[in-house]
Amino acid sequence: MDKTNTLYNESAISNKDDKKNFSKLGIGFFVFALISLASQLILSNIAKKYFSFITESDFYSVGLIIVSFYVIAFPIAYLFLRKIKSEKIEKTGAGFLEVIENLLICFPLMYVANIFSLVLNFIISMIKGAPVLNPLQTAFSESGMVWVLIYSVVIAPVVEELIFRKLLISKTIRYGQFVSVLLSALFFSLFHGNLYQIFYAFVLGGIFAYTYVKTGKIIYTIIMHFTINLTGATANAILLYGFDLDTLMNIYANPNDTEFIMSQMDKLFPMMLLLMAFLFVIFAICVAGLIIFIVRLAKRKFPSFSKGSVIIPKGAFFATVFLNVGVILFVLVCLVKIILNLL
């Protein structure tokens, strides 16, 4: 009788402590999300009121994201996150070829997930009677190409992988690889704070996290993130900076003047050719990724997850990992950010 009670009490203490750890993790990311959102709003208002010349520069929109997210918010959030015990990732022998395959799989799954985002945003735009703007696309359109590339291809892949993969997973890996991958994907997805990115960010975050827990090398996921963002930045560069807006407007304003349209098309032809070549490369990558994904399914090579040193009982999993103050606060502040972006 005494032995049974002792085991029960140890288990209850263990579950309670684990729940506190997940709450601390959630509070750290809650602080990260809240301060990044607040500082972005405060800095933008200060700039518009006192330094209007800065708002007209080609680095303002991207610079605002970098300063509010990574210079102000994260150092403060890290003060909370560093208190949680960290553990190293044990390498499981996944090779570089598997990493390349994972990267290729990212592309078709990312575009499929993006379809859900586009459909959802279309439905919301029909309901509200106005288009739902993509905040990141808006920021990029207001920024110079060099700044967009610096942020999306250099800063974001490095910093986000260090935060959402290396740091977050080091705090959760003792609960098993599945828990780490799930939380990494979910937090990464929610933190983006808009419905244009939420679905494909979850997919990419999951693949990046799975690659990291299997290899133990953060450089692999940084390269994967870099490659994905580079393709997006390249597409943005071609569409936003490659095509002359005045030329397109002139064609739109003279739809019946065939000779004029042909003369204008000569100006657009080099960029149209570049865009077609780019789309062909992306299509080929998607096909390759889809084939690898189908082959893995056919061979039943499903993702496998190693258990951690701490086992959370199945019946207590959701309550322990998600139903705690910290994670709930993080989810709520991310939902607020999503709603603000819909207004």
Side-chain angles (χ1 to χ4, degrees), residues 81-100:
L81 294 170
R82 69 176 183 174
K83 298 178 182 179
I84 307 172
K85 180 182 177 182
S86 298
E87 290 188 9
K88 291 184 178 181
I89 308 298
E90 294 184 6
K91 302 174 184 178
T92 57
F96 186 70
L97 179 59
E98 185 175 344
V99 174
I100 297 298

Side-chain angles (χ1 to χ4, degrees), residues 237-271:
I238 294 174
L239 294 174
L240 294 177
Y241 309 110
F243 290 96
D244 181 62
L245 183 60
D246 291 336
T247 301
L248 293 174
M249 292 301 294
N250 287 335
I251 293 175
Y252 180 77
N254 300 275
N256 299 320
D257 192 338
T258 305
E259 184 177 349
F260 174 76
I261 291 176
M262 293 304 296
S263 66
Q264 296 297 302
M265 290 297 288
D266 289 340
K267 300 178 182 179
L268 299 176
F269 183 74
M271 278 298 129

Side-chain angles (χ1 to χ4, degrees), residues 135-175:
L136 188 64
Q137 189 68 45
T138 301
F140 284 178
S141 66
E142 297 171 349
S143 305
M145 182 174 65
V146 173
W147 293 106
V148 171
L149 290 174
I150 290 174
Y151 168 70
S152 61
V153 180
V154 180
I155 296 177
V158 174
V159 178
E160 289 179 2
E161 289 309 304
L162 291 175
I163 295 172
F164 290 97
R165 249 60 70 185
K166 188 174 180 61
L167 179 62
L168 189 153
I169 290 176
S170 72
K171 305 296 183 181
T172 57
I173 193 63
R174 65 179 175 277
Y175 299 104

Side-chain angles (χ1 to χ4, degrees), residues 28-323:
F29 279 90
F30 162 71
V31 170
F32 186 20
L34 180 64
I35 294 180
S36 63
L37 176 60
S39 60
Q40 200 169 12
L41 293 173
I42 293 171
L43 289 176
S44 63
N45 286 328
I46 291 175
K48 290 175 183 177
K49 189 173 182 179
Y50 299 105
F51 307 98
S52 57
F53 65 93
I54 295 179
T55 63
E56 298 172 1
S57 64
D58 64 354
F59 65 85
Y60 169 71
S61 295
V62 168
L64 185 62
I65 296 174
I66 295 172
V67 172
S68 59
F69 280 49
Y70 308 133
V71 178
I72 298 176
F74 182 70
I76 298 174
Y78 183 72
L79 296 177
F80 292 85
L81 294 170
R82 69 176 183 174
K83 298 178 182 179
I84 307 172
K85 180 182 177 182
S86 298
E87 290 188 9
K88 291 184 178 181
I89 308 298
E90 294 184 6
K91 302 174 184 178
T92 57
F96 186 70
L97 179 59
E98 185 175 344
V99 174
I100 297 298
E101 290 180 354
N102 290 347
L103 174 60
L104 293 175
I105 289 174
C106 283
F107 283 87
L109 297 188
M110 174 179 66
Y111 287 116
V112 169
N114 198 41
I115 292 174
F116 288 98
S117 295
L118 293 174
V119 171
L120 180 59
N121 281 286
F122 175 76
I123 294 173
I124 294 174
S125 66
M126 295 294 290
I127 294 173
K128 66 179 288 194
V132 176
L133 299 178
N134 184 336
L136 188 64
Q137 189 68 45
T138 301
F140 284 178
S141 66
E142 297 171 349
S143 305
M145 182 174 65
V146 173
W147 293 106
V148 171
L149 290 174
I150 290 174
Y151 168 70
S152 61
V153 180
V154 180
I155 296 177
V158 174
V159 178
E160 289 179 2
E161 289 309 304
L162 291 175
I163 295 172
F164 290 97
R165 249 60 70 185
K166 188 174 180 61
L167 179 62
L168 189 153
I169 290 176
S170 72
K171 305 296 183 181
T172 57
I173 193 63
R174 65 179 175 277
Y175 299 104
Q177 292 180 348
F178 176 77
V179 174
S180 291
V181 171
L182 177 62
L183 286 178
S184 177
L186 182 63
F187 279 32
F188 182 63
S189 171
L190 288 173
F191 191 83
H192 279 77
N194 68 83
L195 294 181
Y196 277 99
Q197 294 178 282
I198 193 167
F199 294 113
Y200 78 74
F202 181 82
V203 172
L204 293 178
I207 297 175
F208 294 165
Y210 183 77
T211 301
Y212 179 55
V213 299
K214 292 300 181 183
T215 64
K217 295 183 178 180
I218 197 66
I219 187 64
Y220 286 161
T221 65
I222 290 175
I223 292 172
M224 292 171 72
H225 200 149
F226 161 84
T227 305
I228 295 293
N229 282 14
L230 179 62
T231 59
T234 302
N236 281 326
I238 294 174
L239 294 174
L240 294 177
Y241 309 110
F243 290 96
D244 181 62
L245 183 60
D246 291 336
T247 301
L248 293 174
M249 292 301 294
N250 287 335
I251 293 175
Y252 180 77
N254 300 275
N256 299 320
D257 192 338
T258 305
E259 184 177 349
F260 174 76
I261 291 176
M262 293 304 296
S263 66
Q264 296 297 302
M265 290 297 288
D266 289 340
K267 300 178 182 179
L268 299 176
F269 183 74
M271 278 298 129
M272 291 179 64
L273 193 63
L274 179 61
L275 179 61
M276 290 177 63
F278 173 77
L279 292 176
F280 176 79
V281 171
I282 294 298
F283 178 76
I285 293 173
C286 287
V287 170
L290 186 60
I291 291 172
I292 293 171
F293 182 70
I294 293 173
V295 169
R296 284 188 178 183
L297 290 180
K299 293 183 177 181
R300 297 184 175 275
K301 291 180 64 176
F302 303 118
S304 59
F305 300 96
S306 300
K307 293 182 179 180
S309 57
V310 179
I311 304 297
I312 302 174
K314 290 183 179 180
F317 180 84
F318 187 79
T320 301
V321 178
F322 297 107
L323 295 184

